[in-house]
Amino acid sequence: MKRPTLILTIFMFASLAMATQVMQFQGVLLSESSVDLQWTVDDEAGLQSFQLQRSPDGINFGPIADPIPADGSLSYSYIDTPMGFTGEETNRVYFYTLMLIDADGNSVVGGDPIEITFEISGVAITWGTLKAMFR
């Protein structure tokens, strides 16, 4: 008798996870070191929060902030400012994904990852560079 209950529970979770569709997930560069991550969902029934994750290789993702509560607005935005840029780089690629978290703490990926290329200025003036210019 427990078997039908288990199947029904699994079906209900699968239905909940698929009930919310991510309509749009994109990143808009604000500067060479920050991106505005924006997403829109069609329904938030059963959702507790969203978890943004970042990866340098598109495989190993980790959270970039605390979960963002689903407040019923359907449209969200978060500004990410990844660290670790060096003066040697001219660009850096990061991948972002969005996790949907239900009231029980279960999570599903909200779609394919997006790829953001940060264009880093090649001009970096340091005190040593300024002194060398005037010698």
Side-chain angles (χ1 to χ4, degrees), residues 49-113:
S49 59
F50 304 95
Q51 177 69 67
L52 289 164
Q53 297 187 343
R54 178 179 60 223
S55 168
D57 58 13
I59 299 168
N60 302 302
F61 286 87
I64 59 173
D66 291 335
I68 298 166
D71 62 12
S73 65
L74 302 178
S75 293
Y76 296 86
S77 178
Y78 178 83
I79 296 176
D80 184 37
T81 53
M83 302 300 287
F85 295 110
T86 67
E88 305 298 316
E89 300 168 299
T90 57
N91 64 42
R92 177 174 277 192
V93 176
Y94 280 114
F95 299 86
Y96 292 91
T97 191
L98 179 67
M99 302 294 290
L100 308 175
I101 303 171
D102 71 8
D104 295 327
N106 301 310
S107 62
V108 295
V109 178
D112 294 331

